[in-house]
Amino acid sequence: MVLAAGLGKRMRPLTETTPKPLIPVAGRTLIDRAYDKLVPAGVETIIVNVHYLADMVDAHVRAWPAPTNVLVSDERDELLETGGGIVRALPLIGEDPFYLVNSDSTWIEGVTPNLDHLARTWDPRRMDALLLLSELAGAVGYDGKGDFTLDPAGRLERRGERVLAPFAYAGAAILHPRLFDEAPAGAFSLNLLFDVAIARGTLYGAKMEGVWLHVGTPHAIEAAEQAIRDSTA
């Protein structure tokens, strides 16, 4: 599933006329960059949720080439945030674990493609969610304090108040649908269920290879494009 329903407020003024997933970075839209990661990982069905400027996103993803099957989860009536958006899409997702990718996060691959790395690390007996993590020192366009600490077994904990955490969530994960068994109705952040999984000891993380590109603002586009140029020089 690709999350593509957000309003893109931090990306204004670009998002006044263009939905954030369709903003180009180095000649390729953000959502196409998500597609470029999912298809080599063997994904045959991609679910995309839509809300803001939904018709534009809908038309764009339905034009993706075969063999990928594209399903659109419609949130035109109500923006459901990250958690509620996935709950609405669960009938399309089914009962198996699935990749989740944020359309405003992308990365430059290392030796092992990161979605393959997640799949090899995934253990459904222990995990309800496995998040792709970036070390702060290697992130481009990210100015936060980090999200998580990682124990030797790979379990995650939230950073404490007024401190830095070594890892940020890089906007890609494998989730099991059972994570949503006790989800609230309506709009809510996926972070709510991450905290539930932390309490259960079922939220895990995997350190990414390569370079995370957090494309959240117009300025971050320039930084991401420079990183892409440097990686191909």
Side-chain angles (χ1 to χ4, degrees):
M1 180 168 184
V2 178
L3 295 176
L7 301 176
K9 292 181 178 179
R10 295 181 63 221
M11 194 64 84
R12 291 176 178 167
L14 299 179
T15 49
E16 289 177 358
T17 56
T18 303
K20 188 176 181 180
L22 300 190
I23 289 176
V25 175
R28 191 84 171 136
T29 70
L30 283 167
I31 200 165
D32 286 344
R33 289 185 174 277
Y35 172 90
D36 293 344
K37 300 292 193 297
L38 290 163
V39 172
V43 172
E44 297 178 353
T45 298
I46 300 177
I47 300 160
V48 180
N49 66 339
V50 297
H51 172 77
Y52 177 64
L53 298 175
D55 290 349
M56 295 176 67
V57 179
D58 189 320
H60 185 90
V61 301
R62 290 186 190 278
W64 278 340
T68 304
N69 179 35
V70 178
L71 305 176
V72 173
S73 181
D74 195 334
E75 296 178 29
R76 286 173 173 86
D77 59 333
E78 179 186 10
L79 181 60
L80 293 170
E81 300 185 43
T82 52
I86 297 172
V87 169
R88 177 166 290 188
L90 283 177
L92 302 175
I93 292 170
E95 299 180 355
D96 294 326
F98 61 98
Y99 285 119
L100 178 73
V101 179
N102 293 353
S103 63
D104 62 352
S105 282
T106 188
W107 57 86
I108 299 166
E109 299 283 18
V111 175
T112 301
N114 281 294
L115 295 186
D116 289 349
H117 176 45
L118 284 177
R120 293 171 186 173
T121 307
W122 173 252
D123 182 352
R125 298 167 299 175
R126 296 182 295 132
M127 303 173 183
D128 287 331
L130 175 65
L131 310 188
L132 187 66
L133 303 176
S134 170
E135 294 184 271
L136 298 195
V140 173
Y142 178 76
D143 58 2
K145 296 181 179 179
D147 300 311
F148 299 105
T149 60
L150 185 69
D151 78 7
R155 286 183 295 265
L156 296 179
E157 292 286 347
R158 291 282 186 191
R159 69 174 178 85
E161 292 186 13
R162 302 177 183 177
V163 298
L164 294 176
F167 298 105
Y169 173 45
I174 294 176
L175 306 182
H176 197 290
R178 64 173 172 251
L179 179 67
F180 300 88
D181 285 350
E182 300 176 12
F188 71 95
S189 170
L190 188 55
N191 279 303
L192 178 67
L193 298 184
F194 287 168
D195 288 339
V196 171
I198 288 173
R200 293 175 176 167
T202 60
L203 186 73
Y204 283 73
K207 292 186 283 186
M208 70 180 299
E209 297 184 15
V211 180
W212 178 39
L213 309 176
H214 181 253
V215 189
T217 65
H219 177 72
I221 295 174
E222 300 174 12
E225 290 180 333
Q226 184 60 55
I228 292 169
R229 286 193 295 269
D230 291 346
S231 72
T232 58

